Amino acid sequence: MTETFRVLIADPIHEDGRKLLESGGPLSVDVETGLDTESLVARIPHYDALIVRSKTKVTAPVIAAGHALKAIGRAGIGVDNIDVAAATERGIVVFNTPDANATTTAELTIAHLLSLSRHLPQADRSVRAGDWKPARFIGSEIAGKTLGIIGFGTIGRLVAVRAAGLKMRVLAYDPFVKPELMAEHAAEPRNLEELLAEADYVSLHCPLIDKTRNLMDASRIARMKTGARLINCARGGLVDETALAAAIEAGHLAGAALDVFAEEPPKASPLLALDHVVMTPHLGASTVEAQQAVSLRIAEDIARFLTTGATETALNLPRISNEQLGRTRPYQELARALGGLVSALSDGPIRELVVRVFGAASKLDPRPITADALVGLLSARLAGPVNRVNAAHLARAQGIEVRESRSEQARDYVSLLEICAVTETATKTVAGTLLGGRLPRLVRIDSFNVEAVPRGPFLFTRHSDQPGVVAALGAILAREGVNISAMHVGLDANGGSERAIALISISAPLSPDALAEIEALPAIDKVSAFEL
């Protein structure tokens, strides 16, 4: 019977998005807007996915109450109304639509730039009041002026191209974007101080995080060119509104245009009293085209995730194409099994996990492979749910350092995946490959060569290489009524050792008494039972 997934739409979205969800397979869609936190906490336990805009706050209590919640979708760019850290810790995928309303926001930025330059809102109010005094509204041409863009993501690049088309000189600052990419979009790279000193107009296009909160504070506003203008169509908390108002009143800045505010609506903002400030009510995505685009995009992402598991556009997972994920998926399954195995073989807390990829597989993005190795490693060690979303977070919380390495040099196999776990007292290494590029095989445990399908319950022993060990193990399993599906006995590939291992695929888990009896056999050094 096909599982039905329930989706709650908590903020208004375009009807095309809702219709797509309703026609997108085994999805049941409810629309309940205007819920306060208490009401949302009461409703959310019944849903697999939640879709919001900017109004609904998806707080940690809401996320904690979402016992079945698998995904949160934000129809728009900013996710400061969503506790992404809490969602990640719970293994909930967060989606947004960073590019769907990019053109609309870029066009609004240009509109604000022109409004500031020609005093359009003030002139409009004057005419409506019965005045006709064009001399009061002498403006400035923007051709030949310098625009400084802080934050050079998709929207910043679109603004740059449009400003260049208006014959403006464009500067850009973004510590995460290469200068070559800025040049491709008609912008000259600058550091932040240089940009503020040179620009006639400064436009903000960066996310609101701890490092960017009050990015434009009193000290940075003071570094702006005298007579410059500030535009913010990004996030409200980027600007210290009190400092901005003071700079305009003092004549240091000629004006500002803001579409976003620290508090929305800005009931107590000192900017409200200033005539040289243009203010709009968060219109960045408010076009027919953008409303439809963000709604369709988030609906597509949520429907695809719930029905296929696709996470290409997830905010809290590495952004990897579905084509690339299709190629890595068999290695992810192998990595999860190997992670579970090395966890079972390692005694005590693990302080380091090393994932090494050799041969043809080295050309793949290792991040999803490492994530699944962590899922396998941690699932048997933690009580809560572990998945690809929260695995890295949980590893950090456990004090586990994770390292990756890749080498095109093959090691006995066309592709080889090696996972190494380091504890205070020992290092355990397991390795596996894919037969035919898709069938997982365990090929090595430490220095012992084996060949096993890493699936199902197993018994592992490390013992003296002497006659009678296998027979003794078989006798105990037979008495327990447990069949041996496959047995793999390995000798040290380096030679010179009197130790051996046995990896036995069994039909059912063993009882604690049976394990204790095996451990008591004189030849046995170590015994472990686990399921992969």
Side-chain angles (χ1 to χ4, degrees), residues 287-343:
T287 64
V288 173
E289 294 84 358
Q291 295 292 305
Q292 183 180 37
V294 298
S295 299
L296 283 171
R297 180 59 183 270
I298 202 64
E300 290 168 357
D301 288 345
I302 292 294
R304 188 166 62 244
F305 170 72
L306 291 176
T307 55
T308 71
T311 58
E312 182 178 3
T313 58
L315 181 72
N316 53 348
L317 279 173
R319 294 211 168 188
I320 301 172
S321 69
N322 286 333
E323 183 272 332
Q324 175 83 306
L325 283 173
R327 293 167 57 202
T328 63
R329 190 162 289 118
Y331 291 97
Q332 291 174 244
E333 295 173 0
L334 174 63
R336 185 173 297 204
L338 295 179
L341 174 59
V342 80
S343 176

Short mmCIF file of all heavy atoms in Angstrom, two decimals, residues 287-343:
data_model
loop_
_atom_site.label_atom_id
_atom_site.label_comp_id
_atom_site.label_asym_id
_atom_site.label_seq_id
_atom_site.Cartn_x
_atom_site.Cartn_y
_atom_site.Cartn_z
N THR A 287 5.62 40.25 -7.00
CA THR A 287 5.12 40.36 -8.37
C THR A 287 4.35 39.08 -8.67
O THR A 287 4.58 38.04 -8.03
CB THR A 287 6.25 40.53 -9.40
OG1 THR A 287 7.07 39.36 -9.39
CG2 THR A 287 7.09 41.75 -9.11
N VAL A 288 3.47 39.17 -9.63
CA VAL A 288 2.69 37.98 -10.01
C VAL A 288 3.62 36.85 -10.40
O VAL A 288 3.45 35.69 -9.99
CB VAL A 288 1.73 38.32 -11.17
CG1 VAL A 288 1.05 37.05 -11.68
CG2 VAL A 288 0.69 39.34 -10.72
N GLU A 289 4.66 37.20 -11.17
CA GLU A 289 5.57 36.17 -11.67
C GLU A 289 6.36 35.52 -10.52
O GLU A 289 6.53 34.31 -10.48
CB GLU A 289 6.55 36.79 -12.68
CG GLU A 289 5.91 37.29 -13.96
CD GLU A 289 5.32 38.69 -13.83
OE1 GLU A 289 5.37 39.27 -12.72
OE2 GLU A 289 4.82 39.21 -14.85
N ALA A 290 6.83 36.34 -9.59
CA ALA A 290 7.63 35.81 -8.48
C ALA A 290 6.78 34.96 -7.54
O ALA A 290 7.22 33.91 -7.07
CB ALA A 290 8.30 36.94 -7.71
N GLN A 291 5.57 35.43 -7.25
CA GLN A 291 4.69 34.66 -6.37
C GLN A 291 4.42 33.28 -6.95
O GLN A 291 4.45 32.27 -6.24
CB GLN A 291 3.36 35.40 -6.18
CG GLN A 291 3.47 36.71 -5.44
CD GLN A 291 3.85 36.53 -3.98
OE1 GLN A 291 3.17 35.80 -3.25
NE2 GLN A 291 4.92 37.15 -3.56
N GLN A 292 4.19 33.23 -8.24
CA GLN A 292 3.96 31.95 -8.89
C GLN A 292 5.23 31.11 -8.90
O GLN A 292 5.19 29.90 -8.62
CB GLN A 292 3.47 32.17 -10.32
CG GLN A 292 3.13 30.87 -11.06
CD GLN A 292 2.66 31.15 -12.47
OE1 GLN A 292 3.14 32.05 -13.14
NE2 GLN A 292 1.68 30.37 -12.93
N ALA A 293 6.36 31.74 -9.18
CA ALA A 293 7.61 31.00 -9.31
C ALA A 293 8.05 30.37 -7.99
O ALA A 293 8.42 29.19 -7.94
CB ALA A 293 8.71 31.92 -9.83
N VAL A 294 8.00 31.15 -6.88
CA VAL A 294 8.45 30.59 -5.60
C VAL A 294 7.50 29.50 -5.13
O VAL A 294 7.93 28.51 -4.52
CB VAL A 294 8.61 31.69 -4.53
CG1 VAL A 294 9.68 32.69 -4.94
CG2 VAL A 294 7.31 32.37 -4.20
N SER A 295 6.21 29.67 -5.38
CA SER A 295 5.24 28.67 -4.95
C SER A 295 5.40 27.37 -5.72
O SER A 295 5.37 26.28 -5.14
CB SER A 295 3.82 29.22 -5.12
OG SER A 295 3.61 30.39 -4.34
N LEU A 296 5.57 27.49 -7.03
CA LEU A 296 5.77 26.28 -7.84
C LEU A 296 7.07 25.58 -7.47
O LEU A 296 7.12 24.34 -7.36
CB LEU A 296 5.77 26.63 -9.33
CG LEU A 296 4.41 26.89 -9.96
CD1 LEU A 296 4.57 27.43 -11.37
CD2 LEU A 296 3.56 25.60 -9.98
N ARG A 297 8.12 26.37 -7.26
CA ARG A 297 9.42 25.76 -6.97
C ARG A 297 9.41 25.02 -5.64
O ARG A 297 9.90 23.89 -5.54
CB ARG A 297 10.51 26.83 -6.96
CG ARG A 297 11.91 26.30 -6.67
CD ARG A 297 12.33 25.26 -7.71
NE ARG A 297 13.62 24.70 -7.41
CZ ARG A 297 14.77 25.21 -7.84
NH1 ARG A 297 14.77 26.31 -8.59
NH2 ARG A 297 15.91 24.63 -7.53
N ILE A 298 8.84 25.63 -4.60
CA ILE A 298 8.85 24.96 -3.30
C ILE A 298 7.91 23.75 -3.32
O ILE A 298 8.20 22.73 -2.69
CB ILE A 298 8.48 25.94 -2.16
CG1 ILE A 298 9.02 25.41 -0.83
CG2 ILE A 298 6.98 26.18 -2.06
CD1 ILE A 298 10.52 25.32 -0.75
N ALA A 299 6.82 23.85 -4.06
CA ALA A 299 5.92 22.70 -4.18
C ALA A 299 6.62 21.54 -4.90
O ALA A 299 6.50 20.37 -4.49
CB ALA A 299 4.65 23.11 -4.93
N GLU A 300 7.35 21.86 -5.96
CA GLU A 300 8.09 20.82 -6.68
C GLU A 300 9.14 20.16 -5.79
O GLU A 300 9.28 18.93 -5.78
CB GLU A 300 8.77 21.43 -7.91
CG GLU A 300 7.81 21.84 -9.01
CD GLU A 300 8.49 22.69 -10.07
OE1 GLU A 300 9.69 23.01 -9.90
OE2 GLU A 300 7.82 23.05 -11.07
N ASP A 301 9.88 20.99 -5.03
CA ASP A 301 10.94 20.45 -4.18
C ASP A 301 10.38 19.55 -3.09
O ASP A 301 10.91 18.47 -2.81
CB ASP A 301 11.74 21.60 -3.55
CG ASP A 301 12.63 22.30 -4.55
OD1 ASP A 301 12.84 21.74 -5.65
OD2 ASP A 301 13.09 23.42 -4.26
N ILE A 302 9.29 19.99 -2.44
CA ILE A 302 8.70 19.20 -1.36
C ILE A 302 8.11 17.90 -1.90
O ILE A 302 8.30 16.82 -1.33
CB ILE A 302 7.62 20.02 -0.62
CG1 ILE A 302 8.26 21.17 0.15
CG2 ILE A 302 6.80 19.14 0.31
CD1 ILE A 302 9.16 20.76 1.29
N ALA A 303 7.38 17.99 -3.02
CA ALA A 303 6.77 16.79 -3.60
C ALA A 303 7.84 15.80 -4.03
O ALA A 303 7.73 14.58 -3.78
CB ALA A 303 5.89 17.17 -4.79
N ARG A 304 8.90 16.29 -4.66
CA ARG A 304 9.96 15.40 -5.13
C ARG A 304 10.70 14.75 -3.96
O ARG A 304 11.03 13.56 -3.99
CB ARG A 304 10.94 16.16 -6.03
CG ARG A 304 11.96 15.26 -6.72
CD ARG A 304 12.68 15.97 -7.84
NE ARG A 304 13.44 17.11 -7.36
CZ ARG A 304 13.19 18.35 -7.69
NH1 ARG A 304 12.19 18.64 -8.51
NH2 ARG A 304 13.92 19.34 -7.22
N PHE A 305 10.93 15.53 -2.91
CA PHE A 305 11.61 14.97 -1.75
C PHE A 305 10.78 13.88 -1.08
O PHE A 305 11.29 12.80 -0.75
CB PHE A 305 11.93 16.07 -0.74
CG PHE A 305 12.41 15.53 0.59
CD1 PHE A 305 13.67 14.97 0.70
CD2 PHE A 305 11.59 15.57 1.70
CE1 PHE A 305 14.11 14.46 1.92
CE2 PHE A 305 12.02 15.06 2.91
CZ PHE A 305 13.29 14.51 3.02
N LEU A 306 9.51 14.16 -0.85
CA LEU A 306 8.66 13.18 -0.15
C LEU A 306 8.47 11.90 -0.96
O LEU A 306 8.37 10.81 -0.39
CB LEU A 306 7.31 13.80 0.18
CG LEU A 306 7.30 14.91 1.23
CD1 LEU A 306 5.91 15.50 1.38
CD2 LEU A 306 7.81 14.39 2.57
N THR A 307 8.44 12.01 -2.28
CA THR A 307 8.15 10.84 -3.10
C THR A 307 9.40 10.12 -3.60
O THR A 307 9.34 8.91 -3.88
CB THR A 307 7.28 11.23 -4.31
OG1 THR A 307 7.92 12.28 -5.05
CG2 THR A 307 5.91 11.72 -3.85
N THR A 308 10.53 10.85 -3.73
CA THR A 308 11.73 10.20 -4.26
C THR A 308 12.95 10.35 -3.36
O THR A 308 13.97 9.69 -3.59
CB THR A 308 12.10 10.78 -5.64
OG1 THR A 308 12.59 12.13 -5.49
CG2 THR A 308 10.90 10.78 -6.57
N GLY A 309 12.89 11.24 -2.36
CA GLY A 309 14.05 11.48 -1.51
C GLY A 309 15.04 12.47 -2.08
O GLY A 309 16.11 12.68 -1.50
N ALA A 310 14.74 13.11 -3.22
CA ALA A 310 15.67 14.04 -3.86
C ALA A 310 15.90 15.26 -2.97
O ALA A 310 14.94 15.85 -2.47
CB ALA A 310 15.14 14.48 -5.22
N THR A 311 17.16 15.64 -2.80
CA THR A 311 17.51 16.77 -1.93
C THR A 311 18.44 17.76 -2.63
O THR A 311 19.22 18.46 -1.99
CB THR A 311 18.19 16.27 -0.65
OG1 THR A 311 19.36 15.52 -1.01
CG2 THR A 311 17.25 15.40 0.17
N GLU A 312 18.35 17.84 -3.95
CA GLU A 312 19.28 18.65 -4.72
C GLU A 312 19.30 20.11 -4.27
O GLU A 312 20.34 20.76 -4.27
CB GLU A 312 18.92 18.58 -6.20
CG GLU A 312 19.86 19.35 -7.12
CD GLU A 312 19.49 19.22 -8.58
OE1 GLU A 312 18.47 18.56 -8.87
OE2 GLU A 312 20.22 19.75 -9.42
N THR A 313 18.15 20.65 -3.88
CA THR A 313 18.06 22.07 -3.52
C THR A 313 17.95 22.29 -2.01
O THR A 313 17.62 23.40 -1.59
CB THR A 313 16.83 22.70 -4.21
OG1 THR A 313 15.65 21.98 -3.81
CG2 THR A 313 16.97 22.63 -5.72
N ALA A 314 18.24 21.27 -1.20
CA ALA A 314 18.12 21.42 0.25
C ALA A 314 19.12 22.45 0.77
O ALA A 314 20.26 22.51 0.33
CB ALA A 314 18.34 20.08 0.93
N LEU A 315 18.66 23.24 1.72
CA LEU A 315 19.49 24.29 2.30
C LEU A 315 20.52 23.73 3.27
O LEU A 315 21.64 24.22 3.36
CB LEU A 315 18.59 25.30 3.03
CG LEU A 315 19.24 26.49 3.68
CD1 LEU A 315 19.72 27.47 2.62
CD2 LEU A 315 18.28 27.18 4.62
N ASN A 316 20.17 22.68 4.02
CA ASN A 316 21.06 22.16 5.05
C ASN A 316 21.69 20.82 4.65
O ASN A 316 22.05 20.01 5.50
CB ASN A 316 20.34 22.04 6.40
CG ASN A 316 19.03 21.25 6.31
OD1 ASN A 316 18.53 20.98 5.23
ND2 ASN A 316 18.49 20.90 7.45
N LEU A 317 21.83 20.61 3.33
CA LEU A 317 22.60 19.50 2.79
C LEU A 317 23.47 20.04 1.66
O LEU A 317 23.14 21.07 1.06
CB LEU A 317 21.67 18.41 2.23
CG LEU A 317 21.05 17.42 3.22
CD1 LEU A 317 20.04 16.54 2.49
CD2 LEU A 317 22.11 16.57 3.89
N PRO A 318 24.59 19.39 1.37
CA PRO A 318 25.39 19.84 0.22
C PRO A 318 24.55 19.87 -1.05
O PRO A 318 23.80 18.94 -1.32
CB PRO A 318 26.50 18.78 0.13
CG PRO A 318 26.57 18.17 1.48
CD PRO A 318 25.18 18.20 2.02
N ARG A 319 24.68 20.94 -1.82
CA ARG A 319 23.90 21.07 -3.06
C ARG A 319 24.60 20.29 -4.17
O ARG A 319 25.62 20.73 -4.70
CB ARG A 319 23.73 22.53 -3.42
CG ARG A 319 22.87 23.25 -2.37
CD ARG A 319 22.06 24.38 -2.97
NE ARG A 319 21.05 24.82 -2.01
CZ ARG A 319 20.11 25.68 -2.29
NH1 ARG A 319 20.01 26.17 -3.50
NH2 ARG A 319 19.24 26.04 -1.38
N ILE A 320 24.04 19.14 -4.48
CA ILE A 320 24.62 18.24 -5.48
C ILE A 320 23.52 17.86 -6.45
O ILE A 320 22.38 17.59 -6.05
CB ILE A 320 25.19 16.98 -4.79
CG1 ILE A 320 26.27 17.37 -3.77
CG2 ILE A 320 25.77 16.02 -5.81
CD1 ILE A 320 26.75 16.23 -2.92
N SER A 321 23.84 17.84 -7.72
CA SER A 321 22.83 17.57 -8.73
C SER A 321 22.28 16.16 -8.58
O SER A 321 22.95 15.25 -8.07
CB SER A 321 23.43 17.72 -10.14
OG SER A 321 24.36 16.69 -10.41
N ASN A 322 21.05 15.97 -9.04
CA ASN A 322 20.45 14.64 -9.00
C ASN A 322 21.24 13.64 -9.82
O ASN A 322 21.32 12.45 -9.49
CB ASN A 322 19.00 14.70 -9.50
CG ASN A 322 18.08 15.34 -8.47
OD1 ASN A 322 18.33 15.30 -7.28
ND2 ASN A 322 17.01 15.97 -8.94
N GLU A 323 21.84 14.12 -10.92
CA GLU A 323 22.66 13.22 -11.75
C GLU A 323 23.86 12.72 -10.96
O GLU A 323 24.20 11.53 -10.98
CB GLU A 323 23.11 13.98 -13.01
CG GLU A 323 23.93 13.14 -14.00
CD GLU A 323 25.41 13.16 -13.69
OE1 GLU A 323 25.89 14.14 -13.11
OE2 GLU A 323 26.10 12.17 -14.04
N GLN A 324 24.51 13.63 -10.23
CA GLN A 324 25.67 13.25 -9.41
C GLN A 324 25.23 12.35 -8.27
O GLN A 324 25.91 11.35 -7.94
CB GLN A 324 26.34 14.51 -8.86
CG GLN A 324 27.48 14.26 -7.88
CD GLN A 324 28.80 13.98 -8.54
OE1 GLN A 324 28.89 13.09 -9.38
NE2 GLN A 324 29.82 14.73 -8.17
N LEU A 325 24.09 12.66 -7.64
CA LEU A 325 23.60 11.81 -6.56
C LEU A 325 23.28 10.40 -7.05
O LEU A 325 23.49 9.42 -6.34
CB LEU A 325 22.35 12.44 -5.93
CG LEU A 325 22.60 13.60 -4.97
CD1 LEU A 325 21.28 14.23 -4.56
CD2 LEU A 325 23.36 13.14 -3.75
N GLY A 326 22.78 10.30 -8.27
CA GLY A 326 22.51 8.98 -8.83
C GLY A 326 23.76 8.15 -8.96
O GLY A 326 23.75 6.92 -8.74
N ARG A 327 24.88 8.80 -9.26
CA ARG A 327 26.15 8.09 -9.39
C ARG A 327 26.75 7.73 -8.03
O ARG A 327 27.42 6.71 -7.88
CB ARG A 327 27.14 8.92 -10.19
CG ARG A 327 26.73 9.10 -11.65
CD ARG A 327 27.55 10.19 -12.32
NE ARG A 327 28.99 9.91 -12.22
CZ ARG A 327 29.93 10.83 -12.32
NH1 ARG A 327 29.60 12.09 -12.51
NH2 ARG A 327 31.20 10.49 -12.24
N THR A 328 26.50 8.58 -7.02
CA THR A 328 27.09 8.30 -5.70
C THR A 328 26.24 7.37 -4.85
O THR A 328 26.74 6.80 -3.89
CB THR A 328 27.30 9.62 -4.91
OG1 THR A 328 26.02 10.23 -4.67
CG2 THR A 328 28.20 10.58 -5.66
N ARG A 329 24.95 7.20 -5.21
CA ARG A 329 24.04 6.46 -4.33
C ARG A 329 24.54 5.06 -3.98
O ARG A 329 24.50 4.67 -2.80
CB ARG A 329 22.64 6.42 -4.93
CG ARG A 329 21.58 5.87 -3.96
CD ARG A 329 20.18 6.25 -4.40
NE ARG A 329 19.92 7.67 -4.22
CZ ARG A 329 19.65 8.51 -5.21
NH1 ARG A 329 19.61 8.08 -6.45
NH2 ARG A 329 19.42 9.78 -4.96
N PRO A 330 25.04 4.25 -4.93
CA PRO A 330 25.55 2.92 -4.53
C PRO A 330 26.70 3.02 -3.54
O PRO A 330 26.81 2.19 -2.62
CB PRO A 330 26.00 2.31 -5.86
CG PRO A 330 25.23 3.03 -6.90
CD PRO A 330 25.08 4.43 -6.40
N TYR A 331 27.55 4.03 -3.69
CA TYR A 331 28.66 4.21 -2.75
C TYR A 331 28.15 4.69 -1.39
O TYR A 331 28.74 4.38 -0.35
CB TYR A 331 29.67 5.20 -3.32
CG TYR A 331 30.43 4.65 -4.51
CD1 TYR A 331 30.03 4.95 -5.81
CD2 TYR A 331 31.53 3.82 -4.33
CE1 TYR A 331 30.71 4.44 -6.91
CE2 TYR A 331 32.22 3.31 -5.43
CZ TYR A 331 31.80 3.62 -6.71
OH TYR A 331 32.47 3.10 -7.79
N GLN A 332 27.07 5.46 -1.40
CA GLN A 332 26.47 5.88 -0.14
C GLN A 332 25.95 4.67 0.64
O GLN A 332 26.13 4.58 1.86
CB GLN A 332 25.33 6.87 -0.39
CG GLN A 332 25.77 8.22 -0.92
CD GLN A 332 24.59 9.10 -1.29
OE1 GLN A 332 24.41 9.45 -2.45
NE2 GLN A 332 23.78 9.45 -0.32
N GLU A 333 25.31 3.74 -0.05
CA GLU A 333 24.81 2.53 0.61
C GLU A 333 25.96 1.71 1.17
O GLU A 333 25.89 1.18 2.29
CB GLU A 333 23.99 1.71 -0.38
CG GLU A 333 22.71 2.41 -0.84
CD GLU A 333 22.00 1.67 -1.95
OE1 GLU A 333 22.51 0.59 -2.35
OE2 GLU A 333 20.95 2.15 -2.41
N LEU A 334 27.04 1.61 0.39
CA LEU A 334 28.22 0.91 0.87
C LEU A 334 28.82 1.62 2.07
O LEU A 334 29.19 0.98 3.07
CB LEU A 334 29.25 0.80 -0.26
CG LEU A 334 30.62 0.21 0.10
CD1 LEU A 334 30.47 -1.24 0.56
CD2 LEU A 334 31.57 0.31 -1.09
N ALA A 335 28.91 2.95 2.02
CA ALA A 335 29.49 3.73 3.12
C ALA A 335 28.69 3.56 4.40
O ALA A 335 29.25 3.47 5.50
CB ALA A 335 29.56 5.20 2.73
N ARG A 336 27.37 3.52 4.28
CA ARG A 336 26.53 3.35 5.48
C ARG A 336 26.80 2.00 6.13
O ARG A 336 26.92 1.89 7.36
CB ARG A 336 25.06 3.48 5.12
CG ARG A 336 24.15 3.44 6.33
CD ARG A 336 22.71 3.74 5.97
NE ARG A 336 22.55 5.10 5.45
CZ ARG A 336 21.40 5.78 5.48
NH1 ARG A 336 20.33 5.22 6.04
NH2 ARG A 336 21.32 6.98 4.99
N ALA A 337 26.93 0.95 5.32
CA ALA A 337 27.21 -0.38 5.85
C ALA A 337 28.60 -0.42 6.50
O ALA A 337 28.77 -0.97 7.60
CB ALA A 337 27.11 -1.42 4.75
N LEU A 338 29.59 0.17 5.84
CA LEU A 338 30.94 0.17 6.39
C LEU A 338 31.02 1.00 7.66
O LEU A 338 31.74 0.65 8.61
CB LEU A 338 31.93 0.70 5.35
CG LEU A 338 32.11 -0.13 4.08
CD1 LEU A 338 33.12 0.54 3.15
CD2 LEU A 338 32.54 -1.55 4.41
N GLY A 339 30.27 2.12 7.70
CA GLY A 339 30.23 2.92 8.92
C GLY A 339 29.64 2.14 10.08
O GLY A 339 30.14 2.22 11.21
N GLY A 340 28.58 1.38 9.82
CA GLY A 340 28.00 0.55 10.86
C GLY A 340 28.96 -0.53 11.33
O GLY A 340 29.04 -0.85 12.53
N LEU A 341 29.72 -1.09 10.39
CA LEU A 341 30.67 -2.15 10.74
C LEU A 341 31.81 -1.61 11.59
O LEU A 341 32.15 -2.20 12.62
CB LEU A 341 31.21 -2.79 9.46
CG LEU A 341 32.33 -3.82 9.64
CD1 LEU A 341 31.87 -4.98 10.53
CD2 LEU A 341 32.81 -4.34 8.29
N VAL A 342 32.41 -0.49 11.17
CA VAL A 342 33.54 0.03 11.93
C VAL A 342 33.10 0.51 13.30
O VAL A 342 33.87 0.45 14.27
CB VAL A 342 34.25 1.15 11.13
CG1 VAL A 342 33.52 2.48 11.25
CG2 VAL A 342 35.71 1.29 11.54
N SER A 343 31.85 0.95 13.42
CA SER A 343 31.31 1.32 14.73
C SER A 343 31.21 0.09 15.63
O SER A 343 31.58 0.14 16.81
CB SER A 343 29.94 1.97 14.57
OG SER A 343 29.36 2.24 15.83
#
